[in-house]
Amino acid sequence: MNIFDGAKHQLNLAAKHLELSKGLLERLQTPDRTIQVNLFVKRDNGRTQMFKGYRVQYNNFLGPFKGGLRFHPAVNMDEVSALAFWMMIKNAVSDVPFGGGKGGIQVDPKNLSESELENLTRALAKALSPNVGPNLDVPAPDVNTNSKIMDWFESEYSKTTGEKSKAVVTGKSIKNGGSQGREQATGLGGFFVLEKLVEKLGFKKPLTAAVQGFGNVGSNIAKILHDNGYKVIALSDIKGGICNTTGEDFNVDLVKKCREEKGFLAGCYCVGSVCDLAKKYDGVISNEELLELPVDILIPAAVENVITKNNANKIKAKVVFEMANGPTSPEADQILNRKKILVVPDVLANCGGVTVSYFEWYQNMHREVWQEDKVNGRLKDQMEKAFNSVWEIHQSKKVNLRTAAYILALQRLAQKI
């Protein structure tokens, strides 16, 4: 099944445990609005090129549509619809007053100059301006987008509409109304959930972890784990990764610096206070091999569908902690459940980002500025409450954590109808 069908399959599994009307269930399987735009951008060489842009507004039962914008060659309507659906579930699980939305542009931003990237972002903002706004739909960063891109989007929205509202997007730079703590929010929120899980399961530290993906989410949670006594023994990015089979954990700060200098992780075998570049080949590992390592915590933090029916039987971790969106296919989910591998679903594990996005939106709307300690403290409270609510359903209904999270979300959505 494609990614959107897989998302709806998860919804139907959870719905079996609730008495929902047929009409509500049908409505939850279809987005309220899908938007496709053609963006014409003048390249540096003088030629004009067309790019496809997408925005899916899934529903706004709980509040304004909310979800990121990704710039990636694989962006399409099915993917964006599934991601918007997951945002609907995620926002309900984290108990923030937003509905589900998602969007993006089908483009490889690495092939654009900075001026071309800015022009493309502004073209998207202008095209979407009738359909977004602080009380309507609030975009945010996602794959290959960042605070600079959000600043451009906000600027063009204000220019096009004449409305001067910083709250039209979140994930902005601090100087432009962004929130303290937003950069590491997804990773830190995941850490708070993981700590509660470790406590519930009675695991003893130090625990070993492998992280697939070294973007904002993967690098941040790897650093937070390293700083809090976990042994991060394997890391990877799109070009491959590094693994330390001796059990020593990597110095994530040095790994990050090394990767920034070299452009890839495979040459960044950084343990303790040094990077042993001689181990460039001895310590190399593929993304596929990383997933199969016998670690306590496996963290897919890259893209969708990396754990499938083809490799699920090879997973040896005790816990799969989904920091990416949709990294486990429904077929793989069934296999992992049979193997008694605990899967912490994306809609719980990675909802720290949208939680702090809500904090940023709230600060903008009320003209407040919170210090980082306040942001992180409220994030911890919100994530722990979400975990405890999901865990209670997991225990009382004897269902896995993914189904429990969906049940919680459906209960909250049904209350707003």
Side-chain angles (χ1 to χ4, degrees):
M1 62 182 74
N2 68 33
I3 186 172
F4 189 29
D5 288 338
K8 291 185 287 187
H9 173 75
Q10 294 162 353
L11 172 72
N12 289 324
L13 288 177
K16 292 178 181 178
H17 297 273
L18 297 168
E19 294 181 2
L20 299 178
S21 70
K22 184 178 179 182
L24 174 59
L25 195 55
E26 286 178 351
R27 186 170 177 186
L28 291 174
Q29 295 194 57
T30 306
D32 286 355
R33 185 182 295 113
T34 59
I35 302 166
Q36 181 172 329
V37 293
N38 295 324
L39 307 171
F40 295 90
V41 176
K42 191 173 183 179
R43 302 293 300 269
D44 292 343
N45 60 13
R47 295 181 180 178
T48 297
Q49 183 174 348
M50 189 193 80
F51 299 88
K52 291 185 181 297
Y54 303 90
R55 187 71 181 172
V56 171
Q57 297 172 331
Y58 208 90
N59 74 47
N60 56 356
F61 293 171
L62 301 180
F65 303 104
K66 184 80 182 80
L69 294 170
R70 57 176 50 190
F71 291 0
H72 193 274
V75 168
N76 59 59
M77 191 62 80
D78 265 349
E79 178 192 56
V80 174
S81 296
L83 293 166
F85 168 86
W86 283 321
M87 285 303 301
M88 171 188 71
I89 299 295
K90 191 184 302 185
N91 291 335
V93 169
S94 59
D95 202 20
V96 297
F98 285 135
K102 208 74 171 188
I105 300 175
Q106 193 175 89
V107 61
D108 185 349
K110 297 184 184 68
N111 295 331
L112 302 179
S113 68
E114 181 160 320
S115 63
E116 290 171 336
L117 186 60
E118 179 176 357
N119 290 338
L120 180 60
T121 301
R122 289 182 178 276
L124 179 66
K126 188 171 184 177
L128 292 182
S129 61
N131 301 107
V132 299
N135 292 301
L136 176 59
D137 184 358
V138 184
D142 199 83
V143 175
N144 292 331
T145 54
N146 55 26
S147 60
K148 180 183 288 187
I149 288 172
M150 293 303 105
D151 287 353
W152 290 334
F153 192 103
E154 181 274 327
S155 170
E156 188 63 31
Y157 172 83
S158 296
K159 178 182 174 183
T160 301
T161 65
E163 297 179 22
K164 301 288 186 181
S165 178
K166 299 295 184 185
V168 66
V169 292
T170 59
K172 302 179 295 295
S173 64
I174 299 296
K175 66 181 181 182
N176 195 42
S179 177
Q180 296 285 347
R182 177 62 183 86
E183 189 72 17
Q184 73 273 16
T186 306
L188 184 60
F191 172 71
F192 290 143
V193 170
L194 182 57
E195 286 283 270
K196 292 297 293 183
L197 179 73
V198 167
E199 177 187 315
K200 290 286 187 185
L201 297 178
F203 284 175
K204 302 299 180 185
K205 295 181 182 178
L207 299 169
T208 57
V211 182
Q212 185 199 52
F214 206 69
N216 173 273
V217 175
S219 62
N220 271 303
I221 196 166
K223 174 175 168 49
I224 293 166
L225 292 179
H226 170 77
D227 292 347
N228 285 274
Y230 290 76
K231 289 189 173 184
V232 181
I233 66 165
L235 297 162
S236 71
D237 61 12
I238 193 170
K239 296 180 180 179
I242 48 177
C243 175
N244 190 342
T245 55
T246 67
E248 290 183 279
D249 64 328
F250 288 110
N251 183 325
V252 180
D253 285 325
L254 285 182
V255 170
K256 190 171 184 178
K257 183 179 179 182
C258 176
R259 180 180 181 269
E260 288 171 355
E261 293 173 354
K262 297 185 174 301
F264 51 85
L265 272 175
C268 299
Y269 201 88
C270 306
V271 177
S273 60
V274 297
C275 290
D276 186 355
L277 302 186
K279 292 207 174 193
K280 178 176 179 179
Y281 298 105
D282 295 341
V284 74
I285 189 172
S286 70
N287 275 290
E288 293 74 20
E289 290 167 334
L290 180 144
L291 294 171
E292 298 168 14
L293 291 173
V295 292
D296 296 310
I297 316 292
L298 173 62
I299 304 178
V303 294
E304 303 93 8
N305 279 336
V306 295
I307 303 176
T308 68
K309 63 182 180 181
N310 297 322
N311 65 353
N313 274 314
K314 300 176 183 177
I315 304 298
K316 304 178 187 69
K318 295 175 183 176
V319 173
V320 174
F321 197 81
E322 296 184 339
M323 291 301 293
N325 291 313
T328 309
S329 73
E331 299 89 348
D333 223 16
Q334 294 176 14
I335 296 170
L336 297 179
N337 286 333
R338 287 198 297 268
K339 293 182 67 176
K340 307 297 183 186
I341 294 174
L342 191 66
V343 179
V344 181
D346 48 3
V347 294
L348 172 62
N350 71 21
C351 66
V354 74
T355 301
V356 175
S357 276
Y358 165 62
F359 297 162
E360 179 180 332
W361 177 86
Y362 182 93
Q363 290 171 77
N364 293 160
M365 295 293 282
H366 293 84
R367 297 185 179 181
E368 296 180 6
V369 178
W370 298 357
Q371 296 305 307
E372 188 167 355
D373 285 349
K374 180 176 180 177
V375 172
N376 291 344
R378 291 199 174 188
L379 173 63
K380 185 174 188 289
D381 290 343
Q382 199 97 351
M383 298 302 291
E384 290 183 347
K385 286 177 184 176
F387 173 84
N388 288 334
S389 297
V390 171
W391 188 263
E392 183 179 342
I393 295 171
H394 162 67
Q395 294 285 81
S396 63
K397 292 189 176 291
K398 308 298 181 186
V399 294
N400 64 40
L401 289 175
R402 191 185 311 280
T403 302
Y406 274 67
I407 290 172
L408 175 64
L410 289 175
Q411 289 172 336
R412 289 175 172 170
L413 288 163
Q415 289 171 1
K416 293 293 184 177
I417 301 304

